[in-house]
C-alpha cells in the first residue's frame, strides 16, 4: 500500500494538469479579488452585498451557478478571512479539486498502465485507496495555494493584509478542506463507476454550479407532500454545506459539516473500492 501511495504521489507531482489547474485557480482568485475590491470601494454595492450576506444567514437556500459576494461589513477592513470565505463559498477552489479528481482517478485507466500494476496487487481496491490519499494531499495543497494567492491579492488590491479572527479562520478552513476532500472522493467515485471523462467532468462541474439544488428541492417537496414535514436536504449534502457554511459559524455547525464530509467521503470511497475490486481490468 505504501508503495502504491509513493507511486501515485510521484505521478501527481509529474502531472502537468495540477500545475495548470493551480495557475487557473490563481488567475480566478486574482480576478475575483479585483472585482470584490471595486464593489468594496462602492458604498452602495458594499451595502447591498452586506444585506445579501445577512439575509443568507436567515435563509438556507442555495442559488444556482457560481457567484462571489464581498461579506465585509461596510466601514470595516476587508480581511483575508472575508475574501477566502467569499471565494470558497463561490466554489472557486472546488472547480480545481473536482477537475483534478476526474483526471487523476482515470489517468492510469485511460493509459492502460493499470493493466501493468493491477495484477501485482493482492487487493485492487488498494489502488482506489491510494488515489484517495493523493486526493487529500492535492486538496490540502490547493488550499495552501489559495491562502498564498489570496494574501498576495489582498495586499495588492486593498493595500493592506488584515487576516481577521485567526481561530475562526482556521476552523472554517479545516472544515472546508474536509468538505472539498469529500467532494473530490465523490467525483473520483463517479469517474471510476462511469469510466467516461466527458460525462464525469460534466457532472463534476454541475455539482460546483449547484445544479443538484433542483433535485434536492424536488425531493424535499415530495417528502413534504407525503409527510407534511419540511426537511432541509441541502444542509446534508457536501456541495450544499460548502456554500451554506456561515462566516463565524458556531462550533456545532462546524462539527455537523465535518460529519457530513466524513460520511460522504467514507461511503463513496468504499463504493469506488468495491466496484474497482469486482470489475475486470480493461
Amino acid at each position: 500500500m505504501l508503495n502504491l501511495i509513493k507511486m501515485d504521489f510521484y505521478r501527481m507531482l509529474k502531472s502537468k494538469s495540477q500545475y495548470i489547474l493551480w495557475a487557473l485557480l490563481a488567475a480566478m482568485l486574482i480576478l475575483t479579488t479585483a472585482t470584490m475590491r471595486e464593489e468594496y470601494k462602492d458604498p452602495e454595492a458594499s451595502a447591498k452585498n452586506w444585506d445579501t450576506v445577512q439575509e443568507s444567514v436567515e435563509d438556507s437556500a442555495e442559488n444556482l451557478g457560481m457567484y462571489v459576494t464581498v461579506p465585509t461589513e461596510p466601514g470595516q477592513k476587508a480581511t483575508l478571512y472575508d475574501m477566502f470565505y467569499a471565494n470558497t463559498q463561490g466554489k472557486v477552489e472546488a472547480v480545481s479539486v473536482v477537475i483534478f479528481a476526474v483526471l487523476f482517478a482515470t489517468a492510469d485507466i485511460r493509459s492502460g498502465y493499470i493493466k501493468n500494476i493491477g495484477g501485482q496487487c493482492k487487493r485492487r481496491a488498494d489502488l482506489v485507496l491510494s488515489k484517495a490519499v493523493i486526493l487529500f494531499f492535492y486538496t490540502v495543497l490547493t488550499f495552501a495555494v489559495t491562502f498564498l494567492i489570496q494574501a498576495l491579492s489582498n495586499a495588492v488590491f486593498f493595500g493592506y493584509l488584515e487576516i481577521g479572527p485567526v481561530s475562526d479562520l482556521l476552523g472554517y478552513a479545516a472544515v472546508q478542506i474536509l468538505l472539498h476532500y469529500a467532494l473530490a472522493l465523490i467525483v473520483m467515485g463517479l469517474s471510476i463507476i462511469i469510466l467516461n471523462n466527458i460525462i464525469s467532468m460534466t457532472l463534476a462541474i454541475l455539482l460546483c454550479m449547484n445544479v443538484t439544488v433542483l433535485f434536492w428541492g424536488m425531493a424535499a417537496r415530495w417528502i413534504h407532500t407525503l409527510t407534511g414535514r419540511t426537511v432541509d436536504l441541502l444542509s446534508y449534502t457536501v456541495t450544499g454545506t460548502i456554500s451554506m457554511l456561515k462566516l463565524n459559524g458556531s462550533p456545532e455547525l462546524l462539527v455537523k459539516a465535518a460529519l457530513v464530509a466524513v460520511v460522504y467521503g467514507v461511503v463513496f470511497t468504499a463504493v469506488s473500492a468495491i466496484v474497482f475490486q469486482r470489475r475486470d481490468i480493461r
Side-chain angles (χ1 to χ4, degrees):
M1 182 65 181
L2 183 58
N3 288 334
L4 286 176
I5 294 174
K6 289 180 179 179
M7 180 191 69
D8 279 337
F9 187 72
Y10 177 80
R11 191 159 62 89
M12 182 193 78
L13 293 178
K14 291 296 182 180
S15 172
K16 295 180 180 179
S17 61
Q18 78 162 343
Y19 300 108
I20 294 173
L21 287 170
W22 283 344
L24 292 174
L25 172 63
M28 290 177 67
L29 290 170
I30 292 171
L31 178 61
T32 56
T33 304
T35 302
M36 285 190 288
R37 188 260 183 191
E38 294 303 316
E39 294 182 355
Y40 173 78
K41 293 294 184 181
D42 183 346
E44 183 177 346
S46 181
K48 184 178 180 181
N49 286 334
W50 177 248
D51 290 340
T52 301
V53 171
Q54 292 301 104
E55 289 173 2
S56 69
V57 173
E58 304 297 333
D59 184 8
S60 62
E62 186 182 10
N63 296 324
L64 288 173
M66 298 172 64
Y67 62 97
V68 178
T69 303
V70 183
T72 307
E73 183 178 358
Q76 300 296 318
K77 281 189 173 182
T79 65
L80 175 62
Y81 187 11
D82 291 341
M83 298 300 109
F84 172 73
Y85 168 84
N87 280 307
T88 301
Q89 190 183 49
K91 296 192 176 69
V92 174
E93 299 95 333
V95 173
S96 174
V97 169
V98 298
I99 292 177
F100 181 80
V102 173
L103 296 176
F104 188 79
T106 59
D108 52 359
I109 299 175
R110 289 183 291 107
S111 66
Y113 182 67
I114 194 69
K115 296 179 181 178
N116 297 330
I117 60 174
Q120 302 175 25
C121 298
K122 293 182 180 180
R123 294 192 319 131
R124 280 190 280 135
D126 288 345
L127 294 169
V128 174
L129 298 180
S130 175
K131 291 177 181 180
V133 172
I134 300 307
L135 287 178
F136 177 74
F137 287 142
Y138 179 80
T139 304
V140 172
L141 290 172
T142 297
F143 272 78
V145 171
T146 297
F147 272 114
L148 176 61
I149 300 301
Q150 190 63 70
L152 292 174
S153 298
N154 274 33
V156 170
F157 291 107
F158 290 95
Y160 57 84
L161 178 57
E162 187 81 15
I163 296 177
V166 176
S167 60
D168 290 344
L169 172 58
L170 292 178
Y172 179 82
V175 173
Q176 284 291 1
I177 288 173
L178 280 178
L179 288 166
H180 282 71
Y181 178 49
L183 181 59
L185 294 176
I186 292 171
V187 171
M188 178 187 73
L190 293 174
S191 301
I192 291 174
I193 293 170
I194 297 173
L195 287 180
N196 185 304
N197 272 17
I198 296 177
I199 296 177
S200 299
M201 194 75 72
T202 301
L203 291 175
I205 298 299
L206 290 177
L207 283 174
C208 292
M209 296 183 67
N210 302 330
V211 173
T212 53
V213 68
L214 300 175
F215 170 77
W216 294 117
M218 288 188 293
R221 284 194 294 271
W222 181 69
I223 293 174
H224 180 73
T225 301
L226 292 179
T227 65
R229 296 180 179 180
T230 300
V231 182
D232 183 15
L233 295 177
L234 280 175
S235 63
Y236 295 96
T237 65
V238 171
T239 53
T241 306
I242 288 175
S243 293
M244 295 187 293
L245 190 61
K246 302 305 179 186
L247 192 69
N248 303 321
S250 66
E252 291 78 12
L253 289 177
L254 294 178
V255 170
K256 177 187 174 183
L259 288 175
V260 168
V262 170
V263 170
Y264 275 90
V266 170
V267 169
F268 273 86
T269 301
V271 171
S272 304
I274 292 171
V275 169
F276 199 76
Q277 178 71 34
R278 296 183 177 180
R279 177 185 286 164
D280 293 333
I281 297 179
R282 299 178 182 179

